[in-house]
PDB file of all heavy atoms in Angstrom:
ATOM      1  N   ILE A   4       6.207  11.501  15.191  1.00 98.00           N
ATOM      2  CA  ILE A   4       6.735  10.127  15.215  1.00 98.00           C
ATOM      3  C   ILE A   4       5.825   9.210  14.396  1.00 98.00           C
ATOM      4  O   ILE A   4       6.310   8.408  13.586  1.00 98.00           O
ATOM      5  CB  ILE A   4       6.872   9.599  16.661  1.00 98.00           C
ATOM      6  CG1 ILE A   4       8.001  10.335  17.385  1.00 98.00           C
ATOM      7  CG2 ILE A   4       7.127   8.089  16.672  1.00 98.00           C
ATOM      8  CD1 ILE A   4       8.072  10.047  18.875  1.00 98.00           C
ATOM      9  N   ALA A   5       4.519   9.343  14.592  1.00 98.00           N
ATOM     10  CA  ALA A   5       3.571   8.500  13.851  1.00 98.00           C
ATOM     11  C   ALA A   5       3.652   8.768  12.348  1.00 98.00           C
ATOM     12  O   ALA A   5       3.611   7.826  11.535  1.00 98.00           O
ATOM     13  CB  ALA A   5       2.153   8.730  14.362  1.00 98.00           C
ATOM     14  N   VAL A   6       3.786  10.023  11.965  1.00 98.00           N
ATOM     15  CA  VAL A   6       3.894  10.377  10.545  1.00 98.00           C
ATOM     16  C   VAL A   6       5.166   9.787   9.943  1.00 98.00           C
ATOM     17  O   VAL A   6       5.133   9.177   8.863  1.00 98.00           O
ATOM     18  CB  VAL A   6       3.856  11.913  10.361  1.00 98.00           C
ATOM     19  CG1 VAL A   6       4.227  12.313   8.936  1.00 98.00           C
ATOM     20  CG2 VAL A   6       2.480  12.459  10.738  1.00 98.00           C
ATOM     21  N   GLU A   7       6.277   9.942  10.644  1.00 98.00           N
ATOM     22  CA  GLU A   7       7.539   9.403  10.135  1.00 98.00           C
ATOM     23  C   GLU A   7       7.524   7.872  10.111  1.00 98.00           C
ATOM     24  O   GLU A   7       8.083   7.258   9.194  1.00 98.00           O
ATOM     25  CB  GLU A   7       8.725   9.923  10.944  1.00 98.00           C
ATOM     26  CG  GLU A   7       8.934  11.423  10.844  1.00 98.00           C
ATOM     27  CD  GLU A   7       9.178  11.923   9.425  1.00 98.00           C
ATOM     28  OE1 GLU A   7       9.608  11.149   8.551  1.00 98.00           O
ATOM     29  OE2 GLU A   7       8.938  13.125   9.198  1.00 98.00           O
ATOM     30  N   ALA A   8       6.877   7.250  11.094  1.00 98.00           N
ATOM     31  CA  ALA A   8       6.751   5.787  11.099  1.00 98.00           C
ATOM     32  C   ALA A   8       5.922   5.329   9.903  1.00 98.00           C
ATOM     33  O   ALA A   8       6.227   4.301   9.281  1.00 98.00           O
ATOM     34  CB  ALA A   8       6.137   5.308  12.411  1.00 98.00           C
ATOM     35  N   ALA A   9       4.895   6.092   9.562  1.00 98.00           N
ATOM     36  CA  ALA A   9       4.088   5.759   8.383  1.00 98.00           C
ATOM     37  C   ALA A   9       4.928   5.864   7.115  1.00 98.00           C
ATOM     38  O   ALA A   9       4.810   5.024   6.210  1.00 98.00           O
ATOM     39  CB  ALA A   9       2.867   6.671   8.301  1.00 98.00           C
ATOM     40  N   ARG A  10       5.782   6.875   7.053  1.00 98.00           N
ATOM     41  CA  ARG A  10       6.672   7.010   5.890  1.00 98.00           C
ATOM     42  C   ARG A  10       7.670   5.857   5.820  1.00 98.00           C
ATOM     43  O   ARG A  10       8.027   5.399   4.729  1.00 98.00           O
ATOM     44  CB  ARG A  10       7.405   8.349   5.943  1.00 98.00           C
ATOM     45  CG  ARG A  10       6.483   9.523   5.704  1.00 98.00           C
ATOM     46  CD  ARG A  10       7.223  10.827   5.762  1.00 98.00           C
ATOM     47  NE  ARG A  10       6.311  11.933   5.526  1.00 98.00           N
ATOM     48  CZ  ARG A  10       6.518  13.167   5.925  1.00 98.00           C
ATOM     49  NH1 ARG A  10       7.630  13.478   6.574  1.00 98.00           N
ATOM     50  NH2 ARG A  10       5.635  14.112   5.675  1.00 98.00           N
ATOM     51  N   LEU A  11       8.096   5.394   6.970  1.00 97.00           N
ATOM     52  CA  LEU A  11       8.983   4.231   7.023  1.00 97.00           C
ATOM     53  C   LEU A  11       8.256   2.997   6.484  1.00 97.00           C
ATOM     54  O   LEU A  11       8.803   2.239   5.678  1.00 97.00           O
ATOM     55  CB  LEU A  11       9.453   4.006   8.460  1.00 97.00           C
ATOM     56  CG  LEU A  11      10.335   2.793   8.728  1.00 97.00           C
ATOM     57  CD1 LEU A  11      11.627   2.854   7.932  1.00 97.00           C
ATOM     58  CD2 LEU A  11      10.623   2.700  10.222  1.00 97.00           C
ATOM     59  N   LEU A  12       7.021   2.822   6.902  1.00 97.00           N
ATOM     60  CA  LEU A  12       6.225   1.701   6.397  1.00 97.00           C
ATOM     61  C   LEU A  12       6.009   1.797   4.893  1.00 97.00           C
ATOM     62  O   LEU A  12       6.005   0.784   4.177  1.00 97.00           O
ATOM     63  CB  LEU A  12       4.867   1.654   7.094  1.00 97.00           C
ATOM     64  CG  LEU A  12       4.848   1.153   8.519  1.00 97.00           C
ATOM     65  CD1 LEU A  12       3.470   1.348   9.129  1.00 97.00           C
ATOM     66  CD2 LEU A  12       5.260  -0.312   8.576  1.00 97.00           C
ATOM     67  N   GLU A  13       5.838   3.012   4.416  1.00 97.00           N
ATOM     68  CA  GLU A  13       5.599   3.226   2.992  1.00 97.00           C
ATOM     69  C   GLU A  13       6.766   2.720   2.136  1.00 97.00           C
ATOM     70  O   GLU A  13       6.570   2.264   1.002  1.00 97.00           O
ATOM     71  CB  GLU A  13       5.361   4.713   2.746  1.00 97.00           C
ATOM     72  CG  GLU A  13       4.772   5.031   1.408  1.00 97.00           C
ATOM     73  CD  GLU A  13       4.396   6.501   1.302  1.00 97.00           C
ATOM     74  OE1 GLU A  13       5.080   7.350   1.905  1.00 97.00           O
ATOM     75  OE2 GLU A  13       3.426   6.780   0.590  1.00 97.00           O
ATOM     76  N   VAL A  14       7.967   2.777   2.673  1.00 97.00           N
ATOM     77  CA  VAL A  14       9.138   2.272   1.952  1.00 97.00           C
ATOM     78  C   VAL A  14       8.949   0.786   1.633  1.00 97.00           C
ATOM     79  O   VAL A  14       9.352   0.309   0.574  1.00 97.00           O
ATOM     80  CB  VAL A  14      10.433   2.488   2.774  1.00 97.00           C
ATOM     81  CG1 VAL A  14      11.625   1.846   2.092  1.00 97.00           C
ATOM     82  CG2 VAL A  14      10.685   3.977   2.998  1.00 97.00           C
ATOM     83  N   TYR A  15       8.314   0.057   2.552  1.00 96.00           N
ATOM     84  CA  TYR A  15       8.116  -1.382   2.382  1.00 96.00           C
ATOM     85  C   TYR A  15       6.844  -1.736   1.610  1.00 96.00           C
ATOM     86  O   TYR A  15       6.674  -2.879   1.201  1.00 96.00           O
ATOM     87  CB  TYR A  15       8.058  -2.075   3.744  1.00 96.00           C
ATOM     88  CG  TYR A  15       9.407  -2.252   4.378  1.00 96.00           C
ATOM     89  CD1 TYR A  15       9.807  -1.459   5.446  1.00 96.00           C
ATOM     90  CD2 TYR A  15      10.287  -3.218   3.900  1.00 96.00           C
ATOM     91  CE1 TYR A  15      11.048  -1.631   6.029  1.00 96.00           C
ATOM     92  CE2 TYR A  15      11.529  -3.384   4.473  1.00 96.00           C
ATOM     93  CZ  TYR A  15      11.903  -2.598   5.541  1.00 96.00           C
ATOM     94  OH  TYR A  15      13.136  -2.761   6.111  1.00 96.00           O
ATOM     95  N   GLN A  16       5.956  -0.770   1.417  1.00 95.00           N
ATOM     96  CA  GLN A  16       4.669  -1.070   0.782  1.00 95.00           C
ATOM     97  C   GLN A  16       4.870  -1.679  -0.601  1.00 95.00           C
ATOM     98  O   GLN A  16       5.574  -1.137  -1.434  1.00 95.00           O
ATOM     99  CB  GLN A  16       3.831   0.200   0.675  1.00 95.00           C
ATOM    100  CG  GLN A  16       2.415  -0.053   0.228  1.00 95.00           C
ATOM    101  CD  GLN A  16       1.589   1.221   0.248  1.00 95.00           C
ATOM    102  OE1 GLN A  16       2.113   2.328   0.295  1.00 95.00           O
ATOM    103  NE2 GLN A  16       0.291   1.066   0.238  1.00 95.00           N
ATOM    104  N   TRP A  17       4.262  -2.824  -0.807  1.00 95.00           N
ATOM    105  CA  TRP A  17       4.258  -3.586  -2.060  1.00 95.00           C
ATOM    106  C   TRP A  17       5.624  -4.142  -2.430  1.00 95.00           C
ATOM    107  O   TRP A  17       5.873  -4.481  -3.571  1.00 95.00           O
ATOM    108  CB  TRP A  17       3.703  -2.751  -3.223  1.00 95.00           C
ATOM    109  CG  TRP A  17       2.454  -2.014  -2.877  1.00 95.00           C
ATOM    110  CD1 TRP A  17       2.278  -0.672  -2.901  1.00 95.00           C
ATOM    111  CD2 TRP A  17       1.207  -2.569  -2.442  1.00 95.00           C
ATOM    112  NE1 TRP A  17       1.016  -0.344  -2.511  1.00 95.00           N
ATOM    113  CE2 TRP A  17       0.318  -1.506  -2.215  1.00 95.00           C
ATOM    114  CE3 TRP A  17       0.746  -3.859  -2.197  1.00 95.00           C
ATOM    115  CZ2 TRP A  17      -0.974  -1.667  -1.776  1.00 95.00           C
ATOM    116  CZ3 TRP A  17      -0.566  -4.023  -1.762  1.00 95.00           C
ATOM    117  CH2 TRP A  17      -1.408  -2.945  -1.562  1.00 95.00           C
ATOM    118  N   ARG A  18       6.517  -4.227  -1.459  1.00 95.00           N
ATOM    119  CA  ARG A  18       7.851  -4.783  -1.726  1.00 95.00           C
ATOM    120  C   ARG A  18       8.193  -5.826  -0.679  1.00 95.00           C
ATOM    121  O   ARG A  18       7.753  -5.755   0.464  1.00 95.00           O
ATOM    122  CB  ARG A  18       8.917  -3.691  -1.643  1.00 95.00           C
ATOM    123  CG  ARG A  18       8.768  -2.577  -2.618  1.00 95.00           C
ATOM    124  CD  ARG A  18       9.888  -1.573  -2.393  1.00 95.00           C
ATOM    125  NE  ARG A  18       9.761  -0.439  -3.287  1.00 95.00           N
ATOM    126  CZ  ARG A  18      10.132   0.787  -2.990  1.00 95.00           C
ATOM    127  NH1 ARG A  18      10.670   1.042  -1.813  1.00 95.00           N
ATOM    128  NH2 ARG A  18       9.991   1.750  -3.847  1.00 95.00           N
ATOM    129  N   GLU A  19       9.027  -6.737  -1.053  1.00 94.00           N
ATOM    130  CA  GLU A  19       9.594  -7.680  -0.096  1.00 94.00           C
ATOM    131  C   GLU A  19      10.748  -6.980   0.619  1.00 94.00           C
ATOM    132  O   GLU A  19      11.411  -6.119   0.023  1.00 94.00           O
ATOM    133  CB  GLU A  19      10.104  -8.934  -0.812  1.00 94.00           C
ATOM    134  CG  GLU A  19       9.014  -9.771  -1.454  1.00 94.00           C
ATOM    135  CD  GLU A  19       7.998 -10.293  -0.453  1.00 94.00           C
ATOM    136  OE1 GLU A  19       8.396 -10.694   0.665  1.00 94.00           O
ATOM    137  OE2 GLU A  19       6.797 -10.287  -0.778  1.00 94.00           O
ATOM    138  N   PRO A  20      11.006  -7.330   1.876  1.00 93.00           N
ATOM    139  CA  PRO A  20      12.089  -6.659   2.610  1.00 93.00           C
ATOM    140  C   PRO A  20      13.431  -6.695   1.872  1.00 93.00           C
ATOM    141  O   PRO A  20      14.172  -5.709   1.880  1.00 93.00           O
ATOM    142  CB  PRO A  20      12.162  -7.436   3.923  1.00 93.00           C
ATOM    143  CG  PRO A  20      10.807  -8.011   4.098  1.00 93.00           C
ATOM    144  CD  PRO A  20      10.298  -8.287   2.706  1.00 93.00           C
ATOM    145  N   GLU A  21      13.715  -7.801   1.219  1.00 95.00           N
ATOM    146  CA  GLU A  21      14.985  -7.924   0.502  1.00 95.00           C
ATOM    147  C   GLU A  21      15.073  -6.921  -0.646  1.00 95.00           C
ATOM    148  O   GLU A  21      16.156  -6.428  -0.974  1.00 95.00           O
ATOM    149  CB  GLU A  21      15.164  -9.349  -0.053  1.00 95.00           C
ATOM    150  CG  GLU A  21      15.109 -10.441   0.979  1.00 95.00           C
ATOM    151  CD  GLU A  21      13.685 -10.808   1.414  1.00 95.00           C
ATOM    152  OE1 GLU A  21      12.729 -10.657   0.625  1.00 95.00           O
ATOM    153  OE2 GLU A  21      13.535 -11.235   2.569  1.00 95.00           O
ATOM    154  N   GLU A  22      13.931  -6.638  -1.275  1.00 96.00           N
ATOM    155  CA  GLU A  22      13.910  -5.682  -2.381  1.00 96.00           C
ATOM    156  C   GLU A  22      14.303  -4.285  -1.915  1.00 96.00           C
ATOM    157  O   GLU A  22      14.987  -3.552  -2.637  1.00 96.00           O
ATOM    158  CB  GLU A  22      12.512  -5.605  -3.002  1.00 96.00           C
ATOM    159  CG  GLU A  22      12.047  -6.821  -3.752  1.00 96.00           C
ATOM    160  CD  GLU A  22      10.625  -6.641  -4.239  1.00 96.00           C
ATOM    161  OE1 GLU A  22      10.392  -5.780  -5.103  1.00 96.00           O
ATOM    162  OE2 GLU A  22       9.738  -7.354  -3.733  1.00 96.00           O
ATOM    163  N   VAL A  23      13.827  -3.913  -0.742  1.00 96.00           N
ATOM    164  CA  VAL A  23      14.094  -2.578  -0.217  1.00 96.00           C
ATOM    165  C   VAL A  23      15.595  -2.370  -0.039  1.00 96.00           C
ATOM    166  O   VAL A  23      16.145  -1.358  -0.456  1.00 96.00           O
ATOM    167  CB  VAL A  23      13.345  -2.344   1.114  1.00 96.00           C
ATOM    168  CG1 VAL A  23      13.781  -1.048   1.768  1.00 96.00           C
ATOM    169  CG2 VAL A  23      11.839  -2.364   0.884  1.00 96.00           C
ATOM    170  N   LEU A  24      16.254  -3.333   0.561  1.00 95.00           N
ATOM    171  CA  LEU A  24      17.686  -3.197   0.822  1.00 95.00           C
ATOM    172  C   LEU A  24      18.530  -3.384  -0.433  1.00 95.00           C
ATOM    173  O   LEU A  24      19.632  -2.846  -0.519  1.00 95.00           O
ATOM    174  CB  LEU A  24      18.113  -4.181   1.910  1.00 95.00           C
ATOM    175  CG  LEU A  24      17.502  -3.903   3.283  1.00 95.00           C
ATOM    176  CD1 LEU A  24      17.887  -4.994   4.268  1.00 95.00           C
ATOM    177  CD2 LEU A  24      17.922  -2.540   3.804  1.00 95.00           C
ATOM    178  N   ALA A  25      18.019  -4.127  -1.411  1.00 96.00           N
ATOM    179  CA  ALA A  25      18.776  -4.374  -2.634  1.00 96.00           C
ATOM    180  C   ALA A  25      18.772  -3.154  -3.557  1.00 96.00           C
ATOM    181  O   ALA A  25      19.655  -3.005  -4.394  1.00 96.00           O
ATOM    182  CB  ALA A  25      18.208  -5.587  -3.369  1.00 96.00           C
ATOM    183  N   ASN A  26      17.812  -2.281  -3.390  1.00 96.00           N
ATOM    184  CA  ASN A  26      17.690  -1.096  -4.230  1.00 96.00           C
ATOM    185  C   ASN A  26      18.291   0.097  -3.486  1.00 96.00           C
ATOM    186  O   ASN A  26      17.843   0.439  -2.394  1.00 96.00           O
ATOM    187  CB  ASN A  26      16.207  -0.856  -4.544  1.00 96.00           C
ATOM    188  CG  ASN A  26      15.978   0.385  -5.365  1.00 96.00           C
ATOM    189  OD1 ASN A  26      16.145   1.489  -4.870  1.00 96.00           O
ATOM    190  ND2 ASN A  26      15.583   0.195  -6.612  1.00 96.00           N
ATOM    191  N   ALA A  27      19.289   0.723  -4.077  1.00 96.00           N
ATOM    192  CA  ALA A  27      20.004   1.818  -3.400  1.00 96.00           C
ATOM    193  C   ALA A  27      19.076   2.961  -3.004  1.00 96.00           C
ATOM    194  O   ALA A  27      19.195   3.510  -1.905  1.00 96.00           O
ATOM    195  CB  ALA A  27      21.125   2.335  -4.293  1.00 96.00           C
ATOM    196  N   GLU A  28      18.143   3.314  -3.871  1.00 96.00           N
ATOM    197  CA  GLU A  28      17.237   4.432  -3.591  1.00 96.00           C
ATOM    198  C   GLU A  28      16.310   4.128  -2.412  1.00 96.00           C
ATOM    199  O   GLU A  28      16.153   4.935  -1.501  1.00 96.00           O
ATOM    200  CB  GLU A  28      16.413   4.768  -4.836  1.00 96.00           C
ATOM    201  CG  GLU A  28      15.543   5.993  -4.672  1.00 96.00           C
ATOM    202  CD  GLU A  28      14.769   6.313  -5.947  1.00 96.00           C
ATOM    203  OE1 GLU A  28      15.281   6.054  -7.057  1.00 96.00           O
ATOM    204  OE2 GLU A  28      13.655   6.841  -5.806  1.00 96.00           O
ATOM    205  N   SER A  29      15.699   2.944  -2.428  1.00 96.00           N
ATOM    206  CA  SER A  29      14.787   2.606  -1.335  1.00 96.00           C
ATOM    207  C   SER A  29      15.551   2.336  -0.035  1.00 96.00           C
ATOM    208  O   SER A  29      15.060   2.635   1.052  1.00 96.00           O
ATOM    209  CB  SER A  29      13.889   1.418  -1.693  1.00 96.00           C
ATOM    210  OG  SER A  29      14.638   0.257  -1.955  1.00 96.00           O
ATOM    211  N   ALA A  30      16.766   1.801  -0.130  1.00 96.00           N
ATOM    212  CA  ALA A  30      17.584   1.580   1.072  1.00 96.00           C
ATOM    213  C   ALA A  30      17.935   2.918   1.723  1.00 96.00           C
ATOM    214  O   ALA A  30      17.882   3.056   2.947  1.00 96.00           O
ATOM    215  CB  ALA A  30      18.852   0.807   0.719  1.00 96.00           C
ATOM    216  N   GLU A  31      18.241   3.911   0.901  1.00 97.00           N
ATOM    217  CA  GLU A  31      18.539   5.253   1.418  1.00 97.00           C
ATOM    218  C   GLU A  31      17.294   5.870   2.056  1.00 97.00           C
ATOM    219  O   GLU A  31      17.360   6.495   3.115  1.00 97.00           O
ATOM    220  CB  GLU A  31      19.065   6.142   0.285  1.00 97.00           C
ATOM    221  CG  GLU A  31      19.564   7.480   0.733  1.00 97.00           C
ATOM    222  CD  GLU A  31      20.811   7.413   1.608  1.00 97.00           C
ATOM    223  OE1 GLU A  31      21.539   6.400   1.583  1.00 97.00           O
ATOM    224  OE2 GLU A  31      21.042   8.395   2.335  1.00 97.00           O
ATOM    225  N   GLU A  32      16.168   5.688   1.414  1.00 97.00           N
ATOM    226  CA  GLU A  32      14.896   6.187   1.953  1.00 97.00           C
ATOM    227  C   GLU A  32      14.588   5.531   3.300  1.00 97.00           C
ATOM    228  O   GLU A  32      14.168   6.197   4.251  1.00 97.00           O
ATOM    229  CB  GLU A  32      13.787   5.873   0.937  1.00 97.00           C
ATOM    230  CG  GLU A  32      12.535   6.656   1.093  1.00 97.00           C
ATOM    231  CD  GLU A  32      11.526   6.336  -0.017  1.00 97.00           C
ATOM    232  OE1 GLU A  32      11.870   5.656  -1.009  1.00 97.00           O
ATOM    233  OE2 GLU A  32      10.375   6.755   0.155  1.00 97.00           O
ATOM    234  N   LEU A  33      14.819   4.222   3.380  1.00 97.00           N
ATOM    235  CA  LEU A  33      14.619   3.485   4.632  1.00 97.00           C
ATOM    236  C   LEU A  33      15.481   4.077   5.749  1.00 97.00           C
ATOM    237  O   LEU A  33      14.996   4.346   6.846  1.00 97.00           O
ATOM    238  CB  LEU A  33      14.964   2.007   4.426  1.00 97.00           C
ATOM    239  CG  LEU A  33      15.062   1.151   5.676  1.00 97.00           C
ATOM    240  CD1 LEU A  33      13.672   0.836   6.210  1.00 97.00           C
ATOM    241  CD2 LEU A  33      15.835  -0.111   5.408  1.00 97.00           C
ATOM    242  N   LYS A  34      16.758   4.298   5.460  1.00 97.00           N
ATOM    243  CA  LYS A  34      17.673   4.857   6.456  1.00 97.00           C
ATOM    244  C   LYS A  34      17.220   6.244   6.910  1.00 97.00           C
ATOM    245  O   LYS A  34      17.253   6.559   8.103  1.00 97.00           O
ATOM    246  CB  LYS A  34      19.086   4.932   5.886  1.00 97.00           C
ATOM    247  CG  LYS A  34      19.726   3.575   5.645  1.00 97.00           C
ATOM    248  CD  LYS A  34      21.046   3.736   4.923  1.00 97.00           C
ATOM    249  CE  LYS A  34      21.608   2.409   4.491  1.00 97.00           C
ATOM    250  NZ  LYS A  34      22.844   2.570   3.699  1.00 97.00           N
ATOM    251  N   ASP A  35      16.793   7.073   5.952  1.00 98.00           N
ATOM    252  CA  ASP A  35      16.340   8.426   6.293  1.00 98.00           C
ATOM    253  C   ASP A  35      15.101   8.404   7.174  1.00 98.00           C
ATOM    254  O   ASP A  35      15.018   9.135   8.168  1.00 98.00           O
ATOM    255  CB  ASP A  35      16.048   9.235   5.029  1.00 98.00           C
ATOM    256  CG  ASP A  35      17.300   9.653   4.279  1.00 98.00           C
ATOM    257  OD1 ASP A  35      18.409   9.545   4.854  1.00 98.00           O
ATOM    258  OD2 ASP A  35      17.172  10.073   3.120  1.00 98.00           O
ATOM    259  N   GLU A  36      14.124   7.593   6.824  1.00 98.00           N
ATOM    260  CA  GLU A  36      12.874   7.553   7.591  1.00 98.00           C
ATOM    261  C   GLU A  36      13.099   6.942   8.976  1.00 98.00           C
ATOM    262  O   GLU A  36      12.528   7.413   9.962  1.00 98.00           O
ATOM    263  CB  GLU A  36      11.785   6.799   6.830  1.00 98.00           C
ATOM    264  CG  GLU A  36      11.407   7.416   5.493  1.00 98.00           C
ATOM    265  CD  GLU A  36      11.012   8.888   5.547  1.00 98.00           C
ATOM    266  OE1 GLU A  36      10.614   9.395   6.621  1.00 98.00           O
ATOM    267  OE2 GLU A  36      11.115   9.555   4.504  1.00 98.00           O
ATOM    268  N   LEU A  37      13.930   5.928   9.059  1.00 98.00           N
ATOM    269  CA  LEU A  37      14.250   5.343  10.363  1.00 98.00           C
ATOM    270  C   LEU A  37      14.961   6.371  11.238  1.00 98.00           C
ATOM    271  O   LEU A  37      14.650   6.513  12.427  1.00 98.00           O
ATOM    272  CB  LEU A  37      15.100   4.082  10.194  1.00 98.00           C
ATOM    273  CG  LEU A  37      15.523   3.375  11.482  1.00 98.00           C
ATOM    274  CD1 LEU A  37      14.315   3.002  12.340  1.00 98.00           C
ATOM    275  CD2 LEU A  37      16.346   2.138  11.144  1.00 98.00           C
ATOM    276  N   ALA A  38      15.888   7.108  10.653  1.00 97.00           N
ATOM    277  CA  ALA A  38      16.583   8.164  11.405  1.00 97.00           C
ATOM    278  C   ALA A  38      15.591   9.207  11.902  1.00 97.00           C
ATOM    279  O   ALA A  38      15.694   9.664  13.056  1.00 97.00           O
ATOM    280  CB  ALA A  38      17.654   8.807  10.536  1.00 97.00           C
ATOM    281  N   ASP A  39      14.620   9.583  11.076  1.00 98.00           N
ATOM    282  CA  ASP A  39      13.610  10.558  11.501  1.00 98.00           C
ATOM    283  C   ASP A  39      12.820  10.056  12.708  1.00 98.00           C
ATOM    284  O   ASP A  39      12.585  10.806  13.660  1.00 98.00           O
ATOM    285  CB  ASP A  39      12.641  10.877  10.360  1.00 98.00           C
ATOM    286  CG  ASP A  39      13.243  11.782   9.305  1.00 98.00           C
ATOM    287  OD1 ASP A  39      14.244  12.471   9.590  1.00 98.00           O
ATOM    288  OD2 ASP A  39      12.701  11.810   8.179  1.00 98.00           O
TER     289      ASP A  39
END
């Protein structure tokens, strides 16, 4: 859980939250890591 949570955080690293959701690749990554 801690490892997957770190990967979830990594999606946001150096980005604004809006950027993550606006980019299809990072939005998909966010969904995958949250699901994990």
Side-chain angles (χ1 to χ4, degrees):
I4 290 171
V6 169
E7 296 301 337
R10 290 180 180 157
L11 177 60
L12 285 172
E13 195 173 33
V14 174
Y15 283 105
Q16 189 175 17
W17 314 120
R18 299 179 182 148
E19 294 299 320
E21 303 79 28
E22 291 177 66
V23 171
L24 294 175
N26 178 290
E28 185 178 328
S29 61
E31 187 66 21
E32 198 176 350
L33 169 76
K34 292 173 188 176
D35 287 347
E36 299 306 338
L37 179 56
D39 285 340

